[in-house]
Amino acid sequence: RDKLVTGVQTCALPISVSKQAKITSKRIYLYNSNVAKESVSAGNVEYIGSEYSVMAEADCERMLDQIKYIADPDELAQISKLESYEGKKQFLFRFWVSRNNNNASGINESRVEFDKRIAYANKMFSYKYKEGYKTDRGRVIIKYGMPDDIERHPAEANTQPYEKWTFNNVEQEPNVLFVFADISGFGNYVLVHSTKRNEAYDPSWIQRIQKY
């Protein structure tokens, strides 16, 4: 015990179920004052006690991919330079702490809303082997939230199926339009036009989705 290093440890516990011996394990944080891996600051303790310190590597990579939609340019630059698994977990911890506007409740509402948008995108827009959050419609939902109006055109005579999403206000831009079309005809709606700044802009989009 005296040789255990400060940090997250896996504790194996023998249990008996119906007279059969089984082993269960649990990850815990151990602080050993005799063998300290590093100085333990308040920030370190907060990180170590969080879900991010024990996040599986696959989940870590997945979340790093997902938050690119809402990260600012400096954060995107940091993500591109992350190499170690531990560094990635710590980045995610800091990322969400910086977006926690309600410390009193103990609930990070920004993270809760983000998770809801991811779940909605995956449920509604997953396409073959592509998860919904990776699609154009999924990205828009995650980045900007739910539209105020959706106008669907699934079976027009002269055009491929398309949808027009309207947002009353996005980042202080009023009456923002997004147009998605199933150009391939196989259910994969892609963004063909938007009036949102820095999004795809093509006022002749209707010609692009014409059936010939």
Side-chain angles (χ1 to χ4, degrees):
R1 181 175 59 187
D2 291 340
K3 295 182 179 179
L4 291 175
V5 176
T6 293
V8 177
Q9 307 288 346
T10 299
C11 179
L13 300 172
I15 60 174
S16 177
V17 179
S18 301
K19 297 183 180 181
Q20 293 183 349
K22 294 186 177 181
I23 299 292
T24 186
S25 63
K26 184 176 181 63
R27 299 194 76 182
I28 62 172
Y29 175 70
L30 173 70
Y31 175 67
N32 189 339
S33 60
N34 296 318
V35 186
K37 184 176 180 181
E38 57 185 58
S39 61
V40 181
S41 65
N44 270 342
V45 171
E46 189 177 357
Y47 161 70
I48 291 167
S50 73
E51 64 179 285
Y52 305 99
S53 69
V54 294
M55 181 177 282
E57 189 165 6
D59 293 336
C60 181
E61 295 290 350
R62 179 183 172 89
M63 181 169 282
L64 283 172
D65 189 40
Q66 293 170 341
I67 65 172
K68 290 178 181 178
Y69 295 149
I70 63 172
D72 63 37
D74 287 341
E75 290 168 331
L76 289 173
Q78 292 178 52
I79 291 173
S80 68
K81 296 176 182 178
L82 292 172
E83 296 181 354
S84 71
Y85 172 33
E86 182 63 26
K88 293 174 181 179
K89 292 189 296 180
Q90 291 191 23
F91 175 86
L92 286 173
F93 171 74
R94 295 191 301 270
F95 180 89
W96 286 114
V97 165
S98 72
R99 285 163 170 76
N100 187 3
N101 298 320
N102 193 7
N103 293 319
S105 71
I107 299 174
N108 190 327
E109 294 179 356
S110 294
R111 170 69 192 278
V112 171
E113 177 62 23
F114 178 80
D115 287 344
K116 287 181 179 178
R117 294 181 185 185
I118 291 288
Y120 181 88
N122 287 339
K123 179 181 179 180
M124 300 300 295
F125 308 130
S126 290
Y127 169 73
K128 289 188 176 179
Y129 302 108
K130 179 181 284 189
E131 293 179 277
Y133 84 87
K134 296 182 178 181
T135 65
D136 285 351
R137 288 183 296 178
R139 177 185 66 82
V140 169
I141 288 286
I142 294 163
K143 187 173 179 65
Y144 304 117
M146 293 295 296
D148 295 289
D149 182 70
I150 298 179
E151 181 182 313
R152 295 183 173 89
H153 299 265
E156 298 292 327
N158 299 317
T159 63
Q160 299 292 350
Y162 69 96
E163 295 182 354
K164 297 171 73 174
W165 292 11
T166 303
F167 292 79
N168 293 339
N169 188 289
V170 175
E171 298 177 347
Q172 299 183 341
E173 295 179 46
N175 302 318
V176 172
L177 173 69
F178 287 86
V179 182
F180 305 90
D182 180 14
I183 296 176
S184 67
F186 293 101
N188 183 28
Y189 284 72
V190 297
L191 180 63
V192 294
H193 172 63
S194 177
T195 58
K196 175 72 179 72
R197 187 182 300 115
N198 297 324
E199 292 284 355
Y201 178 76
D202 182 4
S204 61
W205 61 269
I206 194 69
Q207 297 176 16
R208 182 179 172 189
I209 67 171
Q210 291 290 320
K211 291 180 179 178
Y212 295 102

